[in-house]
Structure formats: structure tokens, C-alpha cells
Amino acid sequence: MKLVVVNKLLMNRGWRLITRTSQIQLLTPDDAQSDDRLIVLPAQSPIPLSTGTFDALMRRVNQTQSFPNWRQALSRVQSLELIIEKSADGLWGRVSLDGLFLVVRGTDTTCLTTQVRTILTGLLVDPTSACCGLPETLAFDIRHDMTELWSFLRQLRATHIADLSGIDLTTINRFISGKEFPSPKQTLRLQQSFQELGHQLLRLSG
């Protein structure tokens, strides 16, 4: 889902844009008196938000409980979990800490960690706050979101092969059970389907 659509969805769910720069946009709930609950998204991206990142974002949007102050938590943390998800044209990264949910996009892990560190440093610049800045020794605990891969693997059933090859499901099941064997034409269609599945698997797992 593209960011412009995500923004509209968030606003329909009771969130409002409070700041936009050339790099990021900040959103808080409509009824918030401060930014104790904050979502940070890239200012723009032509690449749709990856599935796992979008799902995690919507879970955060729908949460209504109060959170501890994320600024204080950031000033004390020594290691921050950065969840990375591969997309067709790069990587999405996200950090979730108390009331803060931060999303970045880049070409590699170094690009993502640099963006996260820069954005967090900027967010912590608050002369009215007693919080210190981001710890210089902050490390990133890299994790990988494989939502799209697991979703793809769940599709690897006879029905999916039937849809790709254009061969009816009953016939596919008879091939699988060894009761029938494909003709040369059917074999070619099956081989093309398996190659397509292989390309998809390489794209998702590479």
C-alpha cells in the first residue's frame, strides 16, 4: 500500500499529521495533548509499504492503551530492535518502542540504521525535556520480517499450482497421487508454473 493511501487510512482512524519535512512526517492521535504516541513515516516513497510493516503499523494504530514516555526509554536503551523487511526495490525498517513507531526505507542495513539514528537524534532534541540525547553506544539488534515469504509458502498447495498452470485441481491431484501423468503440453505448463514459483521464492528470500 502506497504511503499516500496509508496516510489517508491513518487519518480515518483518528490520527493527524503534526509535522512534515522533506524526509519524514510525524503523526499523533487526534485527541493527543503531546507526542507521547508518535508514528514516524518517510515523507514520500513510490514503493508500496511492505506487508509485514503495514500490518505492524496498523496494529500500533489500533492500540489505545497508554505508553511510557518513549523519550526517556530511548535515552536509557543500549540496544534497539530494528526489524527489516525486504521489498521489490529495497528494504523497509521499523522500530517500535513504547509510544514510538518509526518506519524508514533504504537500500541496505547501513542505510536504515543511519536513518534511524539520525531521526531519533532529531526527535530527542527538546530543550524543555530532561531527557538526554541518544546514547552514543546505541547498538541495533537486527531482525528480519518474512511475512511475505511465509504468505507465499502457505500458497504452495495444489490449488495454487492449478491456478498458475491453468490445469484443473482434480487433474493436479491425480498427478500428485500418481494416478495420472501429464502430457507434454501439460508438463510444459507445469514447468513454467514451477519456474514462476521459483522466481517468486528467490525474490522474497534473496
Side-chain angles (χ1 to χ4, degrees):
M1 184 176 293
K2 292 187 176 181
L3 280 177
V4 63
V5 180
V6 171
N7 285 352
K8 292 179 180 178
L9 184 58
L10 295 186
M11 291 177 185
N12 288 337
R13 297 292 180 91
W15 288 70
R16 60 188 170 90
L17 180 68
I18 58 171
T19 302
R20 182 193 292 272
T21 70
S22 60
Q23 301 297 321
I24 62 172
Q25 49 187 330
L26 310 181
L27 300 99
T28 62
D30 284 338
D31 57 357
Q33 301 301 314
S34 66
D35 62 357
D36 286 345
R37 291 182 65 197
L38 185 67
I39 289 176
V40 185
L41 299 175
Q44 56 185 354
S45 173
I47 308 302
L49 203 61
S50 54
T51 303
T53 303
F54 174 75
D55 290 347
L57 172 62
M58 295 314 298
R59 286 195 297 271
R60 172 53 62 92
V61 166
N62 292 328
Q63 289 177 339
T64 57
Q65 75 267 30
S66 60
F67 291 91
N69 186 288
W70 57 265
R71 283 190 171 86
Q72 292 180 358
L74 269 178
S75 66
R76 295 191 303 265
V77 72
Q78 296 300 314
S79 178
L80 201 58
E81 185 176 75
L82 174 61
I83 301 176
I84 295 176
E85 185 174 16
K86 181 180 174 60
S87 68
D89 296 295
L91 301 174
W92 288 93
R94 67 181 187 265
V95 169
S96 180
L97 179 68
D98 293 337
L100 175 68
F101 190 89
L102 165 64
V103 178
V104 293
R105 185 182 174 278
T107 55
D108 54 43
T109 301
T110 300
C111 178
L112 296 179
T113 56
T114 300
Q115 287 188 66
V116 170
R117 192 181 297 275
T118 300
I119 292 170
L120 292 180
T121 299
L123 291 176
L124 287 175
V125 176
D126 183 0
T128 66
S129 174
C131 299
C132 301
L134 199 66
E136 294 182 3
T137 58
L138 178 68
F140 288 98
D141 179 15
I142 304 297
R143 303 287 170 155
H144 293 272
D145 185 325
M146 303 178 73
T147 298
E148 291 192 12
L149 178 59
W150 298 133
S151 177
F152 173 76
L153 291 175
R154 283 194 293 269
Q155 296 177 26
L156 292 183
R157 301 175 180 174
T159 51
H160 194 56
I161 301 298
D163 290 340
L164 279 177
S165 65
I167 300 173
D168 67 89
L169 180 59
T170 300
T171 302
I172 291 291
N173 284 328
R174 293 181 72 83
F175 291 161
I176 292 173
S177 65
K179 294 179 180 179
E180 288 185 14
F181 299 92
S183 67
K185 184 177 180 180
Q186 290 172 323
T187 298
L188 178 60
R189 289 160 67 181
L190 288 169
Q191 288 173 337
Q192 291 172 337
S193 300
F194 295 146
Q195 288 172 359
E196 173 61 24
L197 289 172
H199 291 320
Q200 293 182 42
L201 188 58
L202 284 173
R203 178 180 63 81
L204 292 171
S205 62

